[in-house]
Amino acid sequence: MASGASYAASPPPLKNELDIVIPTIRNLDFLEMWRPFFEPYHLIIVQDGDPTKTIKVPPGFDYELYNRNDINKILGPRASCISFKDSACRCFGYMVSKKKYIFTIDDDCFVATEPSGKKINALEQHIKNLLCPSTPYFFNTLYDPFREGADYVRGYPFSLREGAPTAVSHGLWLNIPDYDAPTQLVKPLERNTRYVDAVMTIPKGTLFPMCGMNLAFDRDLIGPAMYFGLMGDGQPIGRYDDMWAGWCCKVICDHLGLGIKTGLPYIYHSKASNPFVNLRKEYKGIFWQEDIIPFFQNAVLPKECTTVQKCYIELSKQVKEKLSKIDPYFDKLADAMVTWIEAWDDLNPTGASKANGKA
Amino acid sequence: MASGASYAASPPPLKNELDIVIPTIRNLDFLEMWRPFFEPYHLIIVQDGDPTKTIKVPPGFDYELYNRNDINKILGPRASCISFKDSACRCFGYMVSKKKYIFTIDDDCFVATEPSGKKINALEQHIKNLLCPSTPYFFNTLYDPFREGADYVRGYPFSLREGAPTAVSHGLWLNIPDYDAPTQLVKPLERNTRYVDAVMTIPKGTLFPMCGMNLAFDRDLIGPAMYFGLMGDGQPIGRYDDMWAGWCCKVICDHLGLGIKTGLPYIYHSKASNPFVNLRKEYKGIFWQEDIIPFFQNAVLPKECTTVQKCYIELSKQVKEKLSKIDPYFDKLADAMVTWIEAWDDLNPTGASKANGKA
């Protein structure tokens, strides 16, 4: 591996510095399979839907659980920025965490296996990804130069080999691929069986579709931009929560000189969501993204935006100015982006997260 | 795979439309291992070094061979643009070919095997890569959406799913990785054993280090930009021939809306070149690339540049204007770029290549 990253091979487990955030509406039986990997960590469970329902968590896990009543109580009127009846509610967990790192996973995701048959510790791979630099400024053809047995290839400028701090680690899915409703409808039987043994950096200036199913990030570096938007109950759109967060994060990471990696680790995604329901949730997004993508591709943040919060507020202004003409929804979303930052700052006074991470 | 590319699974072999270009100074025994894959194709062998030496080619192969005397005879004074005593001479083969596609390979590259033990037909994979579109405008997290079992993921804008025509297919290397001299010196024993089962598009706006060891391209789309520069005998630099071509090609592909893929196929690279010799060849390049990369990252081609030739001539002007201050070498290189285009156009009157490809 490239020098300066000897910690990558066996990363520190970060037990006191990482929370696992799980949005759910059901009992968390899926945790049994993850027990050897997740039990040492603290879980933040965000209960969606009916708050009177009891969510069972298998014994032995250390967790806190927030239902809608809790969210309303903690955030007051600002709770309006947290989606209801949509897994976008997970971002509340990012906000109440006091740790440096977050790993978030869907409750229909199980432990995948390598081609060798070895069970994949997804969390460990995310930690590796986050603890070594990204390479957003130039493409390395042998993929992540910080992995064992790899390095920068001939022709990679030496001045760029330091890379950039990694803010986001985007993991992938074996079995059910993360397809949109039209593709699900056309290819109901397609399964992802290809294990691609690679981690790579999304280059600067390139957008990507960030999926929230198997995702880790550094709260200190990018947390306030990990807002999953307004989806689900009362909103005209769903299934674009993670996409929205991904577009915002990428633009802000590019501006602040941070990196985003994608590839390993895989999880096993067990159950495809209903494509007809998905189509109803998605269809406006399918139109809107044709305008949203160029908007983000062309978004420029001024130099004065030196923190994630400042970048995010600036983006919210640009959303209001340029996307509201598509639909009044974006006006509401832009306001919610501001509310989200206010709530974030309220729960995370400056430096609190860092101090806690070092405790 | 994404629709519209059903030919990708079993591509036409393109037997009358592809030449294999091999630069060499020795007998081509390495072809024995490639016989089942290469024998149906026409070879263009570019003999480097002493033209009086006889290069033995195993029986059964269909080939034409050019030594330095031939190059001088065919190009006359313009032969000065073709490097001598450096594998950069291979680009002469691109120029004299009349086929639509070129595959070029080094004579120390052997057939690699998949993890399953299956021998890899590198040429077939390059053809697959070239015959289906690239996706330079947005990153697809499941890699090439045109491969079997893959597609565009949720959040990929539908308007971008047509992709872009693929101009270049950049293959990789198992065993000896393509490292620069300093990395070779530091890690003499490092071998690439990781088989990454992926093909991906280098995003628009991102540069990459293109290696000429295992490379295929569409002559009609990008041929005139595949100039490997001035290296070797009489030049202050070596081992930047393919890099130079890659930087020029990437900028021109981005401008003309063409795609470049990297990843599969792998070849088995058997023998590391001498790192001490390499250091001598490379050391100026190691300095210079720190200025060359920003130059190419910021290069803008005007709208009037609608053909590869026009783009390339424009680039040569910008090289002269902006890189000559680094070293007089770039002044000479800029002139050679123009000479190359003149020679190319002389040997390839408009439309000749296309007509031949369809014959």
Side-chain angles (χ1 to χ4, degrees):
Chain A
M1 71 195 71
S3 59
S6 53
Y7 46 72
S10 51
L14 305 179
K15 280 180 196 164
N16 299 314
E17 296 183 71
L18 185 144
D19 282 335
I20 300 176
V21 172
I22 304 166
T24 195
I25 53 169
R26 56 190 151 191
N27 295 332
L28 292 180
D29 305 325
F30 92 112
L31 283 174
E32 280 303 348
M33 198 182 186
W34 288 104
R35 188 179 288 277
F37 305 133
F38 290 180
E39 210 173 15
Y41 293 88
H42 181 69
L43 312 181
I44 298 179
I45 299 163
V46 184
Q47 177 178 350
D48 196 20
D50 181 4
T52 65
K53 198 181 152 184
T54 301
I55 300 286
K56 280 186 201 150
V57 181
F61 285 94
D62 168 43
Y63 71 92
E64 56 195 300
L65 183 148
Y66 298 92
N67 64 28
R68 192 67 207 183
N69 294 337
D70 301 318
I71 295 173
N72 289 340
K73 201 168 140 192
I74 292 168
L75 296 184
R78 286 184 183 139
S80 61
C81 76
I82 304 296
S83 299
F84 185 46
K85 295 192 180 167
D86 192 286
S87 73
C89 68
R90 76 175 82 208
C91 64
F92 178 75
Y94 311 158
M95 190 183 259
V96 293
S97 167
K98 293 288 171 254
K99 305 282 174 61
K100 181 168 165 59
Y101 300 100
I102 296 285
F103 170 50
T104 184
I105 184 168
D106 279 6
D107 63 7
D108 64 346
C109 293
F110 296 88
V111 177
T113 50
E114 291 180 6
S116 69
K118 193 187 161 199
K119 284 188 194 309
I120 298 168
N121 183 345
L123 188 44
E124 185 185 39
Q125 181 66 46
H126 277 300
I127 292 170
K128 284 185 188 182
N129 295 348
L130 289 169
L131 290 187
C132 65
S134 293
T135 55
Y137 307 117
F138 200 81
F139 192 94
N140 194 48
T141 50
L142 286 185
Y143 311 101
D144 187 348
F146 293 97
R147 284 188 80 190
E148 238 168 314
D151 211 311
Y152 289 105
V153 300
R154 179 171 58 93
Y156 203 103
F158 281 83
S159 64
L160 297 179
R161 295 191 185 195
E162 207 181 301
T166 302
V168 179
S169 168
H170 178 259
L172 300 175
W173 344 276
L174 289 172
N175 195 41
I176 308 282
D178 187 31
Y179 286 162
D180 49 61
T183 308
Q184 277 185 301
L185 288 165
V186 171
K187 298 174 145 187
L189 300 179
E190 188 149 293
R191 298 293 177 264
N192 186 24
T193 58
R194 183 177 290 125
Y195 179 91
V196 175
D197 187 12
V199 177
M200 73 190 53
T201 298
I202 317 272
K204 184 176 178 184
T206 301
L207 293 176
F208 79 114
M210 187 179 84
C211 171
M213 225 189 288
N214 169 26
L215 180 73
F217 60 92
D218 184 323
R219 270 182 94 245
D220 288 348
L221 291 180
I222 199 66
M226 272 292 173
Y227 176 46
F228 273 42
L230 293 175
M231 304 282 146
D233 196 48
Q235 308 301 340
I237 183 177
R239 282 171 61 82
Y240 274 87
D241 52 341
D242 41 7
M243 297 299 141
W244 184 261
W247 298 326
C248 293
C249 280
K250 188 60 171 59
V251 167
I252 293 174
C253 281
D254 283 352
H255 175 74
L256 294 177
L258 303 170
I260 296 183
K261 291 183 186 178
T262 183
L264 302 184
Y266 285 96
I267 51 79
Y268 183 91
H269 184 208
S270 69
K271 196 167 151 275
S273 43
N274 184 315
F276 297 96
V277 173
N278 290 346
L279 188 61
R280 182 166 45 73
K281 292 179 180 172
E282 280 176 17
Y283 82 96
K284 290 197 175 180
I286 287 173
F287 288 98
W288 291 348
Q289 72 185 354
E290 298 295 338
D291 292 313
I292 298 173
I293 299 297
F295 164 77
F296 280 107
Q297 281 174 335
N298 297 313
V300 177
L301 299 171
K303 274 187 190 167
E304 301 77 68
C305 294
T306 50
T307 67
V308 178
Q309 276 91 333
K310 284 181 188 167
C311 291
Y312 204 72
I313 294 294
E314 169 64 24
L315 257 189
S316 78
K317 286 180 195 158
Q318 297 185 14
V319 166
K320 193 171 268 260
E321 188 195 324
K322 295 185 177 160
L323 294 181
S324 291
K325 57 189 163 207
I326 301 177
D327 193 277
Y329 167 74
F330 290 95
D331 205 52
K332 210 164 53 166
L333 178 57
D335 291 338
M337 290 168 75
V338 175
T339 306
W340 159 264
I341 292 293
E342 289 168 357
W344 181 282
D345 284 345
D346 220 37
L347 292 177
N348 296 277
T350 315
S353 154
K354 273 212 168 119
N356 199 297
K358 279 174 191 160
Chain B
M1 71 194 71
S3 61
S6 53
Y7 46 72
S10 50
L14 304 180
K15 280 179 197 165
N16 299 315
E17 297 183 70
L18 185 143
D19 282 335
I20 301 176
V21 172
I22 305 166
T24 195
I25 52 167
R26 57 191 150 191
N27 296 332
L28 293 179
D29 305 324
F30 93 113
L31 283 173
E32 279 303 347
M33 198 182 186
W34 288 104
R35 188 179 288 277
F37 305 133
F38 290 180
E39 210 172 14
Y41 293 88
H42 181 70
L43 312 181
I44 298 179
I45 299 162
V46 184
Q47 178 178 351
D48 196 19
D50 181 3
T52 65
K53 197 181 153 184
T54 300
I55 300 286
K56 280 187 202 150
V57 181
F61 285 95
D62 168 43
Y63 70 93
E64 57 195 300
L65 183 149
Y66 298 92
N67 63 29
R68 192 68 206 182
N69 294 337
D70 301 318
I71 295 172
N72 289 339
K73 202 167 138 192
I74 291 168
L75 296 184
R78 286 182 183 140
S80 61
C81 76
I82 303 296
S83 298
F84 186 47
K85 295 192 182 169
D86 192 287
S87 74
C89 68
R90 75 175 82 208
C91 64
F92 177 76
Y94 312 158
M95 190 184 260
V96 293
S97 167
K98 293 289 171 250
K99 305 284 174 61
K100 181 167 165 58
Y101 299 100
I102 295 287
F103 170 49
T104 184
I105 184 168
D106 279 7
D107 62 7
D108 64 345
C109 292
F110 295 89
V111 176
T113 51
E114 291 179 6
S116 69
K118 194 187 159 198
K119 283 189 194 310
I120 297 168
N121 183 345
L123 188 43
E124 185 185 39
Q125 181 65 47
H126 278 299
I127 292 171
K128 284 185 188 183
N129 294 349
L130 289 170
L131 290 187
C132 65
S134 292
T135 55
Y137 306 117
F138 200 81
F139 192 93
N140 195 48
T141 50
L142 286 185
Y143 311 100
D144 187 349
F146 293 97
R147 284 189 80 191
E148 238 168 314
D151 211 313
Y152 290 103
V153 300
R154 179 171 58 91
Y156 203 104
F158 280 83
S159 64
L160 297 179
R161 295 191 186 195
E162 208 181 301
T166 303
V168 179
S169 168
H170 178 260
L172 300 175
W173 344 276
L174 290 172
N175 196 40
I176 308 283
D178 187 30
Y179 287 162
D180 48 61
T183 308
Q184 277 184 301
L185 287 165
V186 171
K187 297 174 146 188
L189 299 179
E190 188 149 292
R191 297 293 176 264
N192 185 24
T193 58
R194 184 177 290 124
Y195 179 90
V196 174
D197 187 12
V199 177
M200 73 190 52
T201 298
I202 316 272
K204 185 177 176 182
T206 301
L207 293 177
F208 79 115
M210 188 178 83
C211 171
M213 226 189 289
N214 169 25
L215 181 72
F217 60 91
D218 183 323
R219 270 183 93 244
D220 287 348
L221 292 180
I222 199 66
M226 272 292 172
Y227 176 46
F228 273 43
L230 293 175
M231 303 284 147
D233 195 49
Q235 308 300 340
I237 182 178
R239 283 170 61 83
Y240 274 88
D241 51 341
D242 41 7
M243 297 299 142
W244 183 260
W247 298 326
C248 293
C249 280
K250 188 58 170 59
V251 167
I252 293 174
C253 281
D254 283 352
H255 175 74
L256 294 176
L258 303 171
I260 296 184
K261 292 183 184 177
T262 182
L264 302 185
Y266 285 96
I267 51 80
Y268 183 92
H269 184 207
S270 68
K271 196 168 151 273
S273 43
N274 184 314
F276 298 97
V277 173
N278 290 346
L279 188 60
R280 183 167 43 77
K281 292 180 180 173
E282 280 175 18
Y283 82 95
K284 291 198 173 178
I286 287 173
F287 288 99
W288 292 348
Q289 72 185 353
E290 299 295 338
D291 292 312
I292 298 173
I293 298 296
F295 164 77
F296 281 107
Q297 281 174 334
N298 296 313
V300 177
L301 298 171
K303 273 187 191 168
E304 301 76 68
C305 294
T306 51
T307 66
V308 179
Q309 277 90 335
K310 284 180 188 168
C311 291
Y312 203 72
I313 294 293
E314 169 64 25
L315 258 189
S316 77
K317 286 180 196 159
Q318 297 186 15
V319 166
K320 194 171 267 260
E321 189 194 324
K322 295 185 177 159
L323 294 181
S324 291
K325 57 190 164 207
I326 302 176
D327 193 278
Y329 167 74
F330 290 95
D331 205 51
K332 210 165 52 166
L333 178 56
D335 291 338
M337 290 169 75
V338 175
T339 306
W340 159 265
I341 292 293
E342 290 168 355
W344 181 282
D345 284 345
D346 219 36
L347 291 177
N348 296 276
T350 314
S353 153
K354 271 209 169 123
N356 200 297
K358 280 175 190 158

